[in-house]
Coordinates of all heavy atoms in Angstrom, one line a residue:
R273 N -11.6 -10.1 1.4 CA -13.0 -10.1 1.7 C -13.7 -8.8 1.6 O -14.8 -8.6 1.1 CB -13.2 -10.6 3.2 CG -13.1 -12.1 3.4 CD -13.7 -12.4 4.7 NE -13.1 -11.8 5.9 CZ -12.0 -12.3 6.5 NH1 -11.5 -13.5 6.1 NH2 -11.5 -11.7 7.5
E274 N -13.0 -7.7 1.9 CA -13.5 -6.4 1.8 C -13.8 -6.0 0.3 O -14.8 -5.4 0.0 CB -12.6 -5.3 2.4 CG -13.2 -3.9 2.4 CD -12.3 -3.0 3.1 OE1 -11.2 -2.6 2.6 OE2 -12.7 -2.6 4.2
L275 N -12.9 -6.4 -0.6 CA -13.0 -6.1 -2.0 C -14.3 -6.7 -2.6 O -15.0 -6.1 -3.4 CB -11.9 -6.6 -2.8 CG -10.5 -6.0 -2.5 CD1 -9.4 -6.6 -3.3 CD2 -10.5 -4.5 -2.7
A276 N -14.7 -7.9 -2.1 CA -15.9 -8.5 -2.6 C -17.2 -7.7 -2.2 O -18.2 -7.8 -2.8 CB -16.0 -9.9 -2.1
N277 N -17.0 -7.0 -1.1 CA -18.2 -6.2 -0.6 C -18.2 -4.8 -1.0 O -19.1 -4.1 -0.7 CB -18.2 -6.3 1.0 CG -18.3 -7.7 1.5 OD1 -19.0 -8.5 0.9 ND2 -17.7 -8.0 2.6
L278 N -17.2 -4.4 -1.7 CA -17.1 -3.0 -2.1 C -17.9 -2.7 -3.4 O -18.0 -3.5 -4.3 CB -15.6 -2.6 -2.4 CG -14.7 -2.4 -1.2 CD1 -13.3 -2.1 -1.6 CD2 -15.3 -1.3 -0.3
S279 N -18.5 -1.5 -3.5 CA -19.2 -1.1 -4.7 C -18.1 -0.7 -5.7 O -16.9 -0.6 -5.4 CB -20.1 0.1 -4.3 OG -19.3 1.2 -3.9
A280 N -18.6 -0.4 -6.9 CA -17.7 0.1 -8.0 C -17.1 1.4 -7.6 O -15.9 1.6 -7.9 CB -18.5 0.2 -9.3
V281 N -17.8 2.2 -6.9 CA -17.2 3.5 -6.4 C -16.1 3.2 -5.4 O -15.0 3.8 -5.5 CB -18.3 4.3 -5.7 CG1 -17.7 5.6 -5.1 CG2 -19.4 4.7 -6.6
G282 N -16.3 2.3 -4.5 CA -15.2 1.9 -3.6 C -14.0 1.3 -4.3 O -12.9 1.7 -3.9
L283 N -14.2 0.5 -5.3 CA -13.1 -0.2 -5.9 C -12.3 0.8 -6.7 O -11.0 0.8 -6.8 CB -13.6 -1.3 -6.9 CG -14.1 -2.5 -6.1 CD1 -14.8 -3.4 -7.2 CD2 -13.0 -3.3 -5.4
V284 N -13.0 1.8 -7.4 CA -12.2 2.7 -8.3 C -11.5 3.8 -7.4 O -10.4 4.2 -7.8 CB -13.2 3.4 -9.3 CG1 -12.6 4.6 -10.0 CG2 -13.7 2.4 -10.3
N285 N -12.2 4.2 -6.3 CA -11.6 5.2 -5.5 C -10.8 4.8 -4.3 O -10.2 5.6 -3.6 CB -12.7 6.2 -5.0 CG -13.4 6.9 -6.2 OD1 -12.9 8.0 -6.6 ND2 -14.5 6.4 -6.7
G286 N -10.9 3.5 -3.9 CA -10.4 3.0 -2.7 C -8.9 3.2 -2.6 O -8.4 3.5 -1.5
D287 N -8.1 2.9 -3.6 CA -6.7 3.0 -3.6 C -6.2 3.7 -4.9 O -5.6 3.2 -5.7 CB -6.0 1.7 -3.4 CG -4.5 1.8 -3.3 OD1 -4.0 2.9 -3.1 OD2 -3.8 0.8 -3.3
Q288 N -6.7 5.0 -5.0 CA -6.4 5.7 -6.2 C -5.5 6.9 -5.9 O -5.7 7.6 -4.9 CB -7.7 6.3 -6.8 CG -7.5 7.0 -8.1 CD -8.8 7.7 -8.6 OE1 -8.8 8.9 -8.9 NE2 -9.9 6.9 -8.6
K289 N -4.4 7.1 -6.6 CA -3.5 8.2 -6.5 C -3.4 9.0 -7.8 O -3.5 8.4 -8.9 CB -2.2 7.8 -6.0 CG -2.2 7.1 -4.6 CD -0.8 6.7 -4.2 CE -0.8 6.1 -2.8 NZ 0.5 5.7 -2.3
S290 N -3.2 10.3 -7.7 CA -3.1 11.1 -8.9 C -1.7 11.7 -9.0 O -1.1 12.0 -8.0 CB -4.2 12.2 -9.0 OG -4.0 13.1 -7.9
F291 N -1.2 11.8 -10.2 CA 0.1 12.3 -10.5 C 0.1 13.4 -11.6 O -0.6 13.2 -12.6 CB 1.0 11.1 -11.0 CG 1.1 10.0 -10.0 CD1 0.1 9.0 -10.0 CD2 2.1 10.0 -9.0 CE1 0.1 8.0 -9.1 CE2 2.1 8.9 -8.1 CZ 1.2 7.9 -8.1
S292 N 0.7 14.5 -11.3 CA 0.7 15.7 -12.2 C 1.9 15.7 -13.1 O 3.0 15.4 -12.7 CB 0.7 17.0 -11.4 OG -0.5 17.0 -10.6
F293 N 1.6 16.0 -14.4 CA 2.7 16.1 -15.4 C 2.6 17.4 -16.1 O 1.5 18.0 -16.4 CB 2.5 15.0 -16.4 CG 2.7 13.6 -15.8 CD1 1.6 12.9 -15.3 CD2 4.0 13.0 -15.7 CE1 1.8 11.7 -14.7 CE2 4.1 11.8 -15.1 CZ 3.0 11.1 -14.6
N294 N 3.7 18.0 -16.5 CA 3.8 19.3 -17.2 C 5.0 19.2 -18.1 O 6.1 19.7 -17.8 CB 3.9 20.4 -16.2 CG 3.8 21.8 -16.9 OD1 3.4 21.8 -18.1 ND2 4.1 22.8 -16.2
T295 N 4.8 18.6 -19.3 CA 5.9 18.5 -20.3 C 5.5 19.4 -21.5 O 4.3 19.9 -21.5 CB 6.1 17.1 -20.7 OG1 5.0 16.6 -21.4 CG2 6.4 16.2 -19.5

Side-chain angles (χ1 to χ4, degrees):
R273 277 199 302 271
E274 184 174 74
L275 296 180
N277 298 325
L278 285 177
S279 65
V281 176
L283 290 170
V284 172
N285 292 277
D287 185 10
Q288 183 187 129
K289 294 182 179 179
S290 61
F291 303 85
S292 297
F293 297 90
N294 186 12
T295 68

